[in-house]
Each structure stands twice: as C-alpha cells, then as structure tokens.
Amino acid sequence: MSTLEFTSDQIGRENFAERAAAMLEAAEERARSRQHPKGRLTARERITRLLDPNTFHEINRFQGGDIDAGFLGSAVITGFGTIDERMVAVWAQDFSVQGGTLGQVEGEKIVRLIEQALTLRIPIISLLDSGGARIQEGVTALAEYGRIFKATSTASGVIPQISVILGPCAGGAVYGPALTDFIIMTKRSSYMFVTGPSVVKAATGEEISSEDLGGGDLHNTQSGVAHFLAEDEDDALEYARALMTYLPSNCQDSPPHYAFDPSCIPAAAARVGNLVPESAKQPYDMVSVVEALVDHGEFLEVQSLFAPSIVVGFACFEGRPVGIVANQPLHDAGTLDVNASEKAARFVQFCDAFGLPIVTLVDVPGYRPGSEQERAGIIRRGAKMITAYSSATVPLITVIIRKAYGGAYIVMGSKSLGADVNYSWPASEIAVMGSEGAVDILFRRELIKAGEDGKSIAEQRAKYQEEYAKQSVNPNLSLKKGELDALIEPSQTRSVICRSLSVLRTKQRECHSPRIHANAPL
C-alpha cells in the first residue's frame, strides 16, 4: 500500500480533495514503478486509453482503503466513462495492489458495477490482470467469484460484455471472462489457465511455460477461448473500442446507425463476381468478397485465427451494422467441422441477442468427413449451429455464392431454418451431394453392368456425372420449391442485401413459446 503522512490540520475535511489527489498520485506512482518495467500499463492508464479523454468517473475509490492513513486499498478500479460519446461501465484490476488478487472488497465493487450497468442498460468492459483469488481470505474470495459469475450470467444477453486480458488470469478467475461475449488477449503478456504451470508440474510432472499452457496464441488458434489476438495493450484496447461501434448499448436498444452517402457505394461491389473462380474446387478469399460488399470495405473479423474454414464478424450496409457469417474456401475448402460450427453458432446467438441482422454468404461443400470429426462430436456440436439459426428472430439474409451441399446447405441460413430471404448466384451448385458421390449411389447397378459388358467404367461414370450435374446440381429445384427467392447477378449482391435489410427493418421479434427455455445441445 502507498502511505502518506499528514499533519492533524491536514486531516480536516477542508483538505480532503488535496489529500485524495495526493493519495491517488502516490498509488499511481507505485503502480508505474511496478508495471512499466514489465512493459505494461497501470490500471488507470489502461482505462484512460480505453475511454474518451477526461470522461472516466470513478466510483468507490476508497472502499477497502484507509483514508486517515492515506492509502488506497482495493486491487480493482471501477467506474463509468464514454466510448465515442456512449456511456460504458469499466473495471480494471490493479496488479500493483496485492498482485491484483480478488478478495471481498474487490468482489463487492465488481458485482456492484455489473448491477449498476444492468440498471443503466450500458455495456461493461473488464480489464483483467490478476494473480487470482486472495489466498489469505480463503472461501470468502471464492464466494466473491461465485457472485461475479452470477452477476455476469444475469447480464448475459442484456448488455454487451467485453473482457480484455492484459496479464495473468488464473484459476476460478478465468470463468468470469469466459461468460462474457468477447475476450481479447495480447501476444506474450496475457495468460488464461485453470491451473498454472507450477500446479500442472506438481500434479502431472509436465513442465510447460505459461505461454504454451494458456497464452494468447493458444487461446486464439487452438482452444477458441479468445476472440482477438492483439499485438500489444494499445491494440487490444483499440479492438474493444472498435467492437463498440457495431453494438447497441443493450438488448432493447437499436444498433448504432451511421450516416451513409449513396455516392460512396463501393466500386468493388459491382466487380465482386471477379473475385470468385468459376471452378467450385478452386479456392479464394471470402474476406475479400465481404470487404467488396460492405460499406467502405470495413470488416471487423471475430476469431479470425480459430476455425478458419468459417468467417464471422461485423460490418455495415448503408450505415447499419450487421453480423456476417461466411464459409472460407481458403481453408479446408470451407467445410464445416466441430470448431467452425461452434464458432458460427455462438456468433449467430450473440447477434440475435442484440438485434443485429445476419447476412450469410454460402460456399460450402459439406461437413468435414472422417472418424476424427465423429469422435469429436460433430453430431452434438454441429447441432448448435442449427439451434442458433432456427431460434434467431433478427432479419436473416442468405446468399449462396458458389455451392451448397447436403446438411451444410441446411445449417448455413437456409430458408427451412427460418431465413427471411434467400438468394443465389446463377452458376451456384445446390444439391444433396456432388456428382462424384451421387453417381456411385444412383448408378451403381449401371456401372457394375458396364464393367461386366467390358465397357469403360470411367467413361460411363463421367457420362452419368455430367447428366446428374445438368439435372440436379443447380438452383432450379430450389427456385421451384420456393427455397430460393431469386437468382441474382454477382454485381447485384450488395444492392439486394441492402434492399432486403430495408424491407426487414420492422420485423417483429416476439416469442410466443410457453417454454422456459429450450434444451439445446451444449
């Protein structure tokens, strides 16, 4: 604790402002001396860089401290401020005070802030840098984690919640951010793990570094726990600010709407068809397609390093934010696997909770085949995507870019799952399966007979594949059955999406089901 000496006349009420400022500066100087040598900002410096200048209003600054003795005692700073002039609640753990550990006072301050954010219906952003539970307080500290988890769960789906990991986050502390909507980590300086390297070694004998056990790279590329890997603290805080530009303040508020000049329609939108090869087997970058279609080419991708066969993120059409879900042919041909399914499902669920329309761009050959996926639970985990789309009540717009096969066609925002409008480019391939697999099933007897008659099985197979492709691998049946609303030229894609969003703007979202909640696969 930073302490200051005061004379008896200084302890008078009339000098409180001066004493408070002196205590704050002493605490901040102590924090700088501990954080700066490690290349890290202090808690208050982080808050300052996150929020608009001079807007932070701290609450409960002296809770847990000793005003008469002249020190601040809490390892967490809580308060309110603005981001782009919109009010947010923020709390930041102060590692310079008892390693940022959480005890009763810290728990009370955090829970109180979450409750106030709920009452005010404003987003809450947490900046985490902590050694975990305060061992000296035993079960009291653990109970405070439980109360934080409860408050965070109560706020889930009501107000956006963003967690920025800027140091260690260990033990029970990791479940607080895991319950929030987005987790941002930094390279080489933020860690998340349930048990640290020393505990792992004691329990299993395995020697492992903090980075390999729970660093930002691992949680962004392998576990999927985090949503963005920042270069440094400033990059992490800037990403949090960028997220806020697309999100409403609460589930009952409308997403922000930005002025859009019609003369600023991206020229690339008219040429988007040039970005997609004719051959269904040739890869291309779906992110480039998205950037060609959206306002100013600005696309804020989420979880770009995890499950890369599917792309999710935020963008705007005519100044209105949307969520985008799209297959990525650059990775595993854009197939769906367990990780891609969960990534897309959680994102769709978030967009639906906060009233963001969802635009789905489809180019999917199917689910990734193999015993590995079956053992990983593709049936259970893939079903999450079905639940997310079928229960979504926001406007749903789907465009099939090149192909959509089998069960993957269904789950990628099909009309049968509740999409409002579905379009397709004219040359798209839509079928139960590709011609190669279909011919071996549909013409199995003919191929066997051809072999018995001495004919070339390869030639016969090619002939049947051509016939099947002409008759079945096209959008015609989908148009005929009403599963597609129209075929559109690639150059029309942006304008059709914009018109559809305009039409669907007044879509009613009431739920008339009597159930408490569905028992969706988890």
Side-chain angles (χ1 to χ4, degrees):
M1 301 292 179
S2 295
T3 59
L4 301 171
E5 296 295 334
F6 296 106
T7 62
S8 58
D9 62 320
Q10 287 179 309
I11 303 179
R13 185 177 302 170
E14 67 279 4
N15 292 316
F16 178 76
E18 290 84 351
R19 290 190 295 114
M23 281 188 282
L24 180 59
E25 177 53 34
E28 190 64 5
E29 177 58 35
R30 181 174 185 273
R32 286 192 293 265
S33 68
R34 295 200 171 193
Q35 291 290 86
H36 287 185
K38 295 183 289 186
R40 296 179 179 178
L41 300 173
T42 70
R44 284 189 170 81
E45 287 172 338
R46 290 164 175 168
I47 292 173
T48 298
R49 298 195 186 191
L50 172 69
L51 301 176
D52 296 336
N54 303 314
T55 63
F56 182 56
H57 175 70
E58 188 174 353
I59 60 173
N60 297 325
R61 174 181 292 177
F62 300 102
Q63 186 175 353
D66 190 329
I67 297 175
D68 293 329
F71 63 80
L72 307 178
S74 175
V76 68
I77 300 165
T78 58
F80 305 94
T82 65
I83 292 179
D84 293 331
E85 301 183 351
R86 293 172 55 200
M87 187 64 68
V88 299
V90 59
W91 58 268
Q93 290 174 319
D94 187 347
F95 199 83
S96 70
V97 178
Q98 300 188 63
T101 53
L102 184 131
Q104 182 174 355
V105 170
E106 288 76 15
E108 289 175 351
K109 290 180 69 174
I110 293 170
V111 170
R112 173 62 175 157
L113 186 73
I114 297 173
E115 291 173 345
Q116 287 181 296
L118 264 175
T119 301
L120 297 171
R121 289 294 194 264
I122 59 175
I124 186 164
I125 302 174
S126 56
L127 310 179
L128 292 96
D129 186 1
S130 169
R134 190 165 297 156
I135 298 174
Q136 302 92 312
E137 296 194 28
V139 72
T140 301
L142 298 179
E144 291 304 324
Y145 274 125
R147 294 185 180 95
I148 293 171
F149 300 161
K150 174 68 173 175
T152 303
S153 298
T154 301
S156 180
V158 182
I159 55 176
Q161 301 182 86
I162 300 172
S163 300
V164 188
I165 315 298
L166 299 171
C169 184
V174 298
Y175 290 107
L179 294 168
T180 62
D181 301 306
F182 299 101
I183 296 176
I184 302 166
M185 298 183 73
T186 62
K187 294 180 179 178
R188 298 175 296 278
S189 62
S190 61
Y191 312 99
M192 296 180 72
F193 32 64
V194 176
T195 53
S198 59
V199 177
V200 169
K201 182 178 180 180
T204 68
E206 179 186 8
E207 292 192 15
I208 188 169
S209 67
S210 295
E211 184 68 32
D212 291 336
L213 183 61
D217 186 71
L218 178 136
H219 286 310
N220 274 273
T221 62
Q222 298 181 49
S223 73
V225 168
H227 298 81
F228 182 72
L229 182 61
E231 289 293 330
D232 52 30
E233 294 194 11
D234 284 333
D235 189 29
L237 298 172
E238 183 56 38
Y239 189 81
R241 287 180 62 91
L243 275 174
M244 285 298 304
T245 63
Y246 295 96
L247 310 183
S249 292
N250 59 72
C251 64
Q252 296 172 313
D253 197 9
S254 297
H257 181 205
Y258 303 101
F260 181 76
D261 184 350
S263 66
C264 294
I265 293 175
R271 302 189 299 270
V272 68
N274 297 336
L275 300 174
V276 181
E278 290 184 9
S279 171
K281 295 182 179 180
Q282 187 174 343
Y284 64 94
D285 187 3
M286 181 62 83
V287 172
S288 296
V289 172
V290 173
E291 291 174 343
L293 295 173
V294 301
D295 293 356
H296 311 297
E298 295 177 356
F299 177 51
L300 186 68
E301 192 170 355
V302 174
Q303 284 189 302
S304 62
L305 301 176
F306 178 69
S309 64
I310 202 159
V311 171
V312 300
F314 300 104
C316 286
F317 284 97
E318 295 183 336
R320 297 185 181 275
V322 303
I324 291 180
V325 179
N327 305 107
Q328 176 55 288
L330 273 185
H331 296 278
D332 297 312
T335 54
L336 295 177
D337 61 8
V338 290
N339 289 333
S341 298
E342 290 183 333
K343 171 181 170 179
R346 182 83 196 287
F347 184 76
V348 168
Q349 182 177 269
F350 173 84
C351 291
D352 187 55
F354 291 100
L356 289 160
I358 299 166
V359 176
T360 305
L361 304 178
V362 185
D363 189 349
V364 61
Y367 281 94
R368 188 178 305 169
S371 59
E372 179 184 354
Q373 286 295 301
E374 298 296 346
R375 286 194 295 267
I378 186 62
I379 297 172
R380 170 178 58 84
R381 296 164 71 182
K384 298 177 185 181
M385 202 165 165
I386 298 174
T387 300
Y389 268 107
S390 61
S391 60
T393 59
V394 294
L396 300 174
I397 300 165
T398 299
V399 182
I400 298 175
I401 300 296
R402 196 169 62 170
K403 60 183 177 297
Y405 284 106
Y409 156 78
I410 300 171
V411 304
M412 286 296 298
S414 67
K415 186 165 282 191
S416 56
L417 281 189
D420 296 294
V421 285
N422 292 62
Y423 304 102
S424 173
W425 288 7
S428 64
E429 302 175 1
I430 306 173
V432 174
M433 63 175 63
S435 59
E436 294 89 344
V439 163
D440 286 339
I441 296 173
L442 296 176
F443 297 95
R444 180 174 58 85
R445 293 179 180 176
E446 289 85 347
L447 291 173
I448 292 174
K449 188 173 185 303
E452 293 173 348
D453 294 342
K455 297 179 181 179
S456 169
I457 295 178
E459 290 181 3
Q460 289 297 107
R461 181 180 283 109
K463 173 188 173 184
Y464 292 137
Q465 286 178 1
E466 184 178 355
E467 290 179 2
Y468 178 82
K470 287 180 179 179
Q471 296 174 5
S472 303
V473 185
N474 57 60
N476 294 348
L477 182 60
S478 298
L479 284 166
K480 193 175 185 179
K481 295 298 182 181
E483 296 301 317
L484 284 178
D485 291 285
L487 295 183
I488 61 172
E489 291 298 327
S491 60
Q492 298 176 305
T493 305
R494 175 183 162 88
S495 61
V496 166
I497 291 173
C498 291
R499 286 200 301 271
S500 299
L501 288 169
S502 180
V503 169
L504 296 169
R505 193 168 297 160
T506 57
K507 180 181 179 181
Q508 298 299 300
R509 302 184 61 200
E510 290 87 354
C511 180
H512 302 289
S513 173
R515 69 189 180 199
I516 303 231
H517 60 74
N519 185 28
L522 296 175

